[in-house]
Amino acid sequence: FGAHVFDKDVSTFAPLDNVPVPEGYLLGPGDTLDVLLFGKEQSRLNLVVDNEGVISFPRLGSITIAGLRFSEAKEMIEQRVRNQMIGTDVTISMGELRSINVFIAGEVRTPGSYSISALSTLTQALYISGGVTKIGSLRAIELRRKGKKIAEFDLYDLFLKGDGSNDVRISSGDVVFVPVVKSLVSIEGFVRRPA
């Protein structure tokens, strides 16, 4: 029961760049900040976080923001503008989000390495890979980071209860692993969900 969820074209499940950035989103290389300066100075800047985690802000110099939450980086930049560019105000929003590389392995239709949005979750990665095969477990999907299992997700919690609390966000270099299903039970006849 539940494998049919992956039967359709699911490209719409990939997160878009114009969705609000979650509170705990950590900035990293490839993220873009849209900065609007107004008041004494007026300009619009698109600042990209480079490979060293730094943005180059004209007149303010290099600012290291990789590893900071978006809200923390925003506050830090606003403070520096107030202190060093007197008479100028600033608004900051997220621009284009970076892509991350993940490996999806085990019993999925199309295992391999994928480049996905930094906002992607475990279930979205499964959709991108075509979903779980008939012999794959829907109950014990693993998220591995640096060789250690950091989360286990039961798709039935999502399908039957609407509980996506364990559908964690993926980081670059993570592995999503779908093991082979273990014991199976079959129910047929006059039941609501023959499976």
Side-chain angles (χ1 to χ4, degrees):
F1 164 72
H4 66 280
V5 171
F6 300 108
D7 289 345
K8 297 184 179 173
D9 180 15
V10 290
S11 61
T12 57
F13 281 92
L16 303 173
D17 287 336
N18 60 358
V19 296
V21 176
E23 186 71 27
Y25 181 75
L26 297 178
L27 294 168
D31 282 328
T32 303
L33 297 179
D34 288 336
V35 179
L36 179 64
L37 296 170
F38 57 95
K40 187 176 176 184
E41 289 193 33
Q42 296 182 2
S43 64
R44 182 179 202 112
L45 307 168
N46 288 332
L47 305 176
V48 180
V49 182
D50 68 16
N51 289 337
E52 295 177 4
V54 174
I55 56 170
S56 296
F57 200 115
R59 293 202 46 214
L60 295 183
S62 297
I63 303 173
T64 302
I65 62 170
L68 295 178
R69 290 186 172 88
F70 171 64
S71 58
E72 295 169 336
K74 183 177 173 181
E75 187 178 314
M76 181 175 69
I77 294 168
E78 287 171 349
Q79 186 66 38
R80 286 192 61 174
V81 168
R82 274 195 297 274
N83 292 342
Q84 297 179 19
M85 300 174 77
I86 296 168
T88 302
D89 286 317
V90 64
T91 60
I92 303 165
S93 60
M94 281 300 300
E96 191 173 319
L97 300 176
R98 70 185 183 277
S99 294
I100 58 173
N101 293 315
V102 297
F103 195 83
I104 305 171
E107 295 304 322
V108 291
R109 291 190 181 143
T110 315
S113 183
Y114 290 86
S115 181
I116 59 178
S117 166
L119 291 180
S120 295
T121 63
L122 199 140
T123 55
Q124 290 163 333
L126 287 176
Y127 280 112
I128 290 166
S129 68
V132 178
T133 65
K134 290 183 179 180
I135 64 166
S137 173
L138 296 172
R139 307 225 64 169
I141 297 162
E142 299 175 9
L143 180 62
R144 298 179 181 175
R145 186 168 294 156
K146 296 180 181 173
K148 296 180 182 176
K149 182 168 77 170
I150 63 158
E152 188 170 284
F153 188 63
D154 184 344
L155 276 171
Y156 287 134
D157 285 343
L158 182 62
F159 294 160
L160 299 175
K161 303 173 195 169
D163 179 7
S165 58
N166 287 331
D167 188 13
V168 294
R169 193 170 305 121
I170 297 176
S171 295
S172 192
D174 284 356
V175 174
V176 176
F177 179 73
V178 179
V180 174
V181 70
K182 294 182 180 173
S183 301
L184 293 175
V185 176
S186 175
I187 301 175
E188 299 175 11
F190 295 101
V191 292
R192 289 186 182 173
R193 285 192 188 99

